[in-house]
């Protein structure tokens, strides 16, 4: 039996869909993985090429994975294919799980929650001539109402999951109005840093229930939603398999929500094995609550080069009362000082455009950013109220005028306010300059002199200081080894990152890589 899985993300970094693809292959099904990373709904040649490919491939069913960002593309692809072909189309992923009502208006079925068992059950049902309405985790629209089947139990033993390669078997890509086999050359061409990042997720869940995050929704969807981990041995085996692929390898990206949330003895085992068997630079994610100097030392000794630490707001009131993040500002700043002792690049993110924030709250965040030791990497996100999250439900009740369609919003396009510009500048300039700009803003935010002053510092910062900071960051990423810096610099010169990080606030295609 043939299955076709479709990714509409604007990159080739998908992990969940590739995992399902691998599971189907290992269970004897002929799964194909099609990337449509530049979908153009008005490009008739592209649509016709897609139709021809699907007809020739002749799958028993088509699966489309999507987040809110891919909703419009998934809708358009589904409408087109259903007009031309009689093949069941099933949506899965975060968006159908959180918003099945809207998604079942277009897809024949949607898969709710974890799909590792469900994809096999779908194949078995079709093979045995059974209705897909008998399959757990499935939902569909019937007489204007969404019908949802019971959920399969959560996967508890993550060691049973297969290794997910960067370049999947039976993978294809649609570009230039033709579907091509995705070979090594094309994979490197359409991946940031020439495909030199091996990404993996070795856990499910998060110890936190932040109000803006869908972990708060999964906690309600699954009564036993909890933080689950693969063993250190399984993680290292997967990384070794990924490192052995015939592709360049700059670093390993462990994309678990909070790697340091594990017990110290588990972390010791993981990093001991990593140093022994992998010995490549790697990056991780964590939060100040779980970062200690002991854990950080272990990670740095094993090759840690960067650590992503969520800040979201430098104002304790907003963190505690709005985001449900019980992190004290003093604790956060202490962690930044610990991280600054080591040759590790810290990466912080901040949420902007929050209707609950006052101007004073935002100025507190700016002062916090200015206090963080430089250099550091950062991203400003515009608050997106995703379906299913606690914060969206709160805004719906208390401030409905601020609701927006989460499928239409680009979370990397922040409002062009002076306050948001100050947040950006606080990551570039010393705290003394930032305090000077804050006082100027407070005196007269709309004065022509304030406008000129802010944009003077903006362009000096963006065009003169930021390039130096980025080179400093790359040197630090390479543990201050000039040889490694020179060796890796050509791989990191990838101008698609200008779009990714929206450095100049001009791009509306910010999810490229």
């Amino acid at each position: 039996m043939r299955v076709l899985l479709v990714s509409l993300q604007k990159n080739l970094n998908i992990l969940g869909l590739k995992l399902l693809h691998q599971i189907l292959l290992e269970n004897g099904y002929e799964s194909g993985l099609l990337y449509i990373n530049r979908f153009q709904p008005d490009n008739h040649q592209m649509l016709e090429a897609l139709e021809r490919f699907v007809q020739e491939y002749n799958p028993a069913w088509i699966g489309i994975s999507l987040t809110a960002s891919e909703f419009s593309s998934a809708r358009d692809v589904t409408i087109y294919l259903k007009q031309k072909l009689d093949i069941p189309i099933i949506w899965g992923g975060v968006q159908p799980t959180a918003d099945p009502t809207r998604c079942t208006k277009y897809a024949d079925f949607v898969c709710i929650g974890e799909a590792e068992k469900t994809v096999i059950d779908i194949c078995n049902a079709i093979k045995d001539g059974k209705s897909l309405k008998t399959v757990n985790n499935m939902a569909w629209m019937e007489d204007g109402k969404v019908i949802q089947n019971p959920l399969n139990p959560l996967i508890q033993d993550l060691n049973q999951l297969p290794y997910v390669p960067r370049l999947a078997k039976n993978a294809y890509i649609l570009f230039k109005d033709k579907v091509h086999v995705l070979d090594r050359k094309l994979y490197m061409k359409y991946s940031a840093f020439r495909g030199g990042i091996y990404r993996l997720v070795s856990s499910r869940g998060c110890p936190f229930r932040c109000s803006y995050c869908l972990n708060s929704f999964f906690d309600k969807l699954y009564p036993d939603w909890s933080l689950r981990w693969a063993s250190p041995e399984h993680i290292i085996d997967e990384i070794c398999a990924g490192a052995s692929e015939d592709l360049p390898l700059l670093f390993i990206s462990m994309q678990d929500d909070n790697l340091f949330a594990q017990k110290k003895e588990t972390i010791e085992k993981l990093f001991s094995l990593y140093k022994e068997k992998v010995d490549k630079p790697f990056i991780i994610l964590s939060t100040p609550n779980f970062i200690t100097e002991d854990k950080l030392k272990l990670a740095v000794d094993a090759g840690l080069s960067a650590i992503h630490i969520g800040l979201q707001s430098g104002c304790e009131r907003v963190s505690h009362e709005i985001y449900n993040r019980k992190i004290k500002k003093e604790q956060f700043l202490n962690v930044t000082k610990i991280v600054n002792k080591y040759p590790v690049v810290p990466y912080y993110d901040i949420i902007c455009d929050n209707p609950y924030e006052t101007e004073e709250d935002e100025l507190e965040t700016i002062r916090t950013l200015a206090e963080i030791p430089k250099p550091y990497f950062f991203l400003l996100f515009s608050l997106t109220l995703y379906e299913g999250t606690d914060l969206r439900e709160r805004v719906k009740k208390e401030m409905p005028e601020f609701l927006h369609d989460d499928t239409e919003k680009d979370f990397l396009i922040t409002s062009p306010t002076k306050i948001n510009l100050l947040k950006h500048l606080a990551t570039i300039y010393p705290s003394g300059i930032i305090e000077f700009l804050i006082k100027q803003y407070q005196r007269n935010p709309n004065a022509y002199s304030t406008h000129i002053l802010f944009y003077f510092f903006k362009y000096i910062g963006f065009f003169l200081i930021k390039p130096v900071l980025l080179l400093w960051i790359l040197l630090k990423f390479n543990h201050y080894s000039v040889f490694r810096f020179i060796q890796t610099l050509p791989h990191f010169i990838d101008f698609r990152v200008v779009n990714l990080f929206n450095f100049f606030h001009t791009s509306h295609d910010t999810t490229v890589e």
Side-chain angles (χ1 to χ4, degrees):
M1 178 188 294
R2 283 188 166 184
V3 177
L4 181 63
L5 301 181
V6 178
S7 170
L8 292 157
Q9 285 190 22
K10 294 179 181 178
N11 56 59
L12 307 187
N13 300 337
I14 55 169
L15 289 177
L17 196 64
K18 281 201 288 189
L19 173 60
L20 299 182
H21 174 63
Q22 197 67 24
I23 287 171
L24 286 166
L25 291 174
E26 294 190 6
N27 279 271
Y29 292 104
E30 191 175 345
S31 179
L33 179 60
L34 174 63
Y35 295 94
I36 311 177
N37 64 331
R38 290 293 181 277
F39 179 67
Q40 301 165 358
D42 298 324
N43 186 330
H44 297 294
Q45 290 180 315
M46 174 178 278
L47 291 171
E48 289 168 2
L50 172 62
E51 180 190 350
R52 285 194 303 271
F53 174 77
V54 175
Q55 280 184 325
E56 292 170 8
Y57 195 80
N58 193 27
W61 61 279
I62 297 170
I64 300 178
S65 176
L66 61 144
T67 65
S69 300
E70 293 84 48
F71 177 85
S72 298
S73 296
R75 177 197 62 207
D76 294 341
V77 165
T78 299
I79 290 172
Y80 181 81
L81 290 179
K82 285 173 70 67
Q83 289 172 344
K84 303 291 183 177
L85 305 166
D86 184 22
I87 300 172
I89 297 179
I90 303 170
W91 288 9
V94 172
Q95 190 66 16
T97 295
D99 191 11
T101 300
R102 182 158 47 164
C103 294
T104 49
K105 291 178 182 177
Y106 304 101
D108 296 303
F109 293 88
V110 304
C111 177
I112 308 293
E114 293 186 341
E116 287 82 358
K117 185 176 185 302
T118 306
V119 291
I120 302 301
D121 292 343
I122 292 169
C123 291
N124 290 338
I126 292 174
K127 184 171 62 176
D128 296 339
K130 295 180 180 179
S131 168
L132 294 183
K133 294 179 181 180
T134 64
V135 177
N136 281 353
N137 291 55
M138 299 293 270
W140 64 95
M141 185 77 75
E142 192 171 297
D143 298 327
K145 295 181 179 179
V146 175
I147 310 298
Q148 182 176 324
N149 282 344
L151 300 179
N152 289 318
L154 289 169
I155 297 172
Q156 298 298 332
D157 181 11
L158 300 187
N159 290 346
Q160 67 180 276
L161 299 176
Y163 146 67
V164 180
R166 280 174 283 175
L167 180 54
K169 181 182 177 183
N170 297 350
Y172 307 88
I173 187 167
L174 173 60
F175 73 95
K176 293 184 179 177
D177 310 328
K178 184 179 178 182
V179 175
H180 300 255
V181 173
L182 184 64
D183 57 17
R184 181 180 186 273
K185 182 178 178 182
L186 285 176
Y187 181 83
M188 292 174 63
K189 179 179 179 180
Y190 286 95
S191 297
F193 310 118
R194 296 183 59 78
I197 308 170
Y198 179 67
R199 299 170 174 85
L200 76 155
V201 176
S202 56
S203 66
R204 298 284 172 92
C206 178
F208 298 103
R209 299 293 182 266
C210 301
S211 63
Y212 54 82
C213 176
L214 275 162
N215 269 304
S216 63
F217 172 77
F218 290 126
D219 194 37
K220 296 188 284 282
L221 182 66
Y222 287 102
D224 57 343
W225 182 254
S226 59
L227 186 54
R228 294 154 285 153
W229 292 93
S231 69
E233 292 82 1
H234 181 84
I235 296 169
I236 297 304
D237 286 346
E238 178 168 355
I239 292 173
C240 288
S244 68
E245 287 184 80
D246 182 26
L247 288 165
L249 184 61
L250 289 175
F251 59 89
I252 311 294
S253 177
M254 301 185 195
Q255 298 191 318
D256 307 282
D257 285 337
N258 209 320
L259 190 74
F260 280 164
Q262 299 179 89
K263 294 178 181 178
K264 186 182 176 185
E265 53 266 29
T266 305
I267 292 173
E268 287 175 345
K269 179 69 172 176
L270 175 64
F271 290 143
S272 174
L273 289 170
Y274 189 96
K275 186 176 180 180
E276 175 189 345
K277 296 187 175 184
V278 184
D279 197 27
K280 293 281 186 181
F282 67 95
I283 65 176
I284 64 171
L285 291 72
S286 195
T287 59
N289 311 56
F290 291 99
I291 296 174
T292 65
E293 191 151 8
D294 287 345
K295 291 178 181 178
L296 196 62
K297 280 180 180 177
L298 290 169
V300 172
D301 184 57
L304 180 68
S305 292
I307 182 168
H308 179 178
I309 304 171
L311 172 58
Q312 315 315 343
S313 174
C315 172
E316 280 189 20
R317 185 193 75 82
V318 174
S319 290
H320 295 189
E321 298 177 16
I322 310 301
Y323 294 150
N324 194 32
R325 289 175 63 85
K326 308 302 182 185
I327 298 172
K328 292 186 176 295
K329 175 180 174 179
E330 183 182 2
Q331 180 186 15
F332 169 78
L333 288 172
N334 285 338
V335 165
T336 68
K337 292 171 185 174
I338 292 171
V339 172
N340 193 54
K341 294 180 184 179
Y342 298 91
V344 171
V345 176
Y347 161 21
Y348 307 106
D349 48 45
I350 301 95
I351 296 176
C352 304
D353 308 330
N354 179 350
Y356 286 101
E357 278 189 307
T358 67
E359 186 173 280
E360 283 306 311
D361 293 334
E362 294 195 85
L363 292 176
E364 188 176 343
T365 290
I366 291 163
R367 290 186 171 103
T368 301
L369 290 172
E371 284 187 59
I372 300 172
K374 298 176 178 63
Y376 61 88
F377 204 77
F378 78 101
L379 272 180
L380 298 181
F381 293 104
S382 184
L383 176 64
T384 301
L385 300 169
Y386 291 108
E387 286 288 350
T389 59
D390 290 344
L391 189 53
R392 184 179 181 89
E393 293 305 309
R394 179 175 176 178
V395 170
K396 194 182 295 184
K397 293 175 184 176
E398 299 175 355
M399 309 176 77
E401 67 275 19
F402 286 100
L403 276 180
H404 54 254
D405 186 343
D406 59 340
T407 69
E408 297 294 331
K409 182 166 184 178
D410 186 332
F411 56 83
L412 286 175
I413 303 292
T414 57
S415 299
T417 64
K418 289 187 176 69
I419 286 283
N420 282 344
L421 176 57
L422 267 176
K423 291 171 188 171
H424 205 123
L425 297 180
T427 70
I428 299 173
Y429 289 103
S431 56
I433 290 178
I434 298 304
E435 195 59 43
F436 165 70
L437 292 173
I438 288 174
K439 288 178 180 177
Q440 175 68 24
Y441 175 83
Q442 289 176 317
R443 276 196 297 270
N444 195 340
N446 298 314
Y448 187 69
S449 58
T450 303
H451 182 82
I452 294 296
L453 188 66
F454 272 47
Y455 279 87
F456 170 79
F457 280 100
K458 173 183 176 179
Y459 289 109
I460 293 294
F462 283 18
F463 290 101
L464 294 181
I465 301 175
K466 178 168 276 190
V468 175
L469 288 175
L470 290 174
L471 288 174
W472 185 4
I473 284 170
L474 185 55
L475 183 62
K476 196 173 185 181
F477 182 87
N478 285 288
H479 286 201
Y480 292 111
S481 166
V482 175
F483 174 75
R484 276 175 51 184
F485 170 80
I486 294 171
Q487 191 178 39
T488 59
L489 183 60
H491 297 282
F492 279 99
I493 297 176
D494 187 333
F495 289 102
R496 284 171 294 187
V497 300
V498 173
N499 278 350
L500 166 62
F501 299 118
N502 200 24
F503 283 145
F504 304 113
H505 302 277
T506 57
S507 170
H508 288 269
D509 185 16
T510 54
T511 54
V512 175
E513 282 293 351

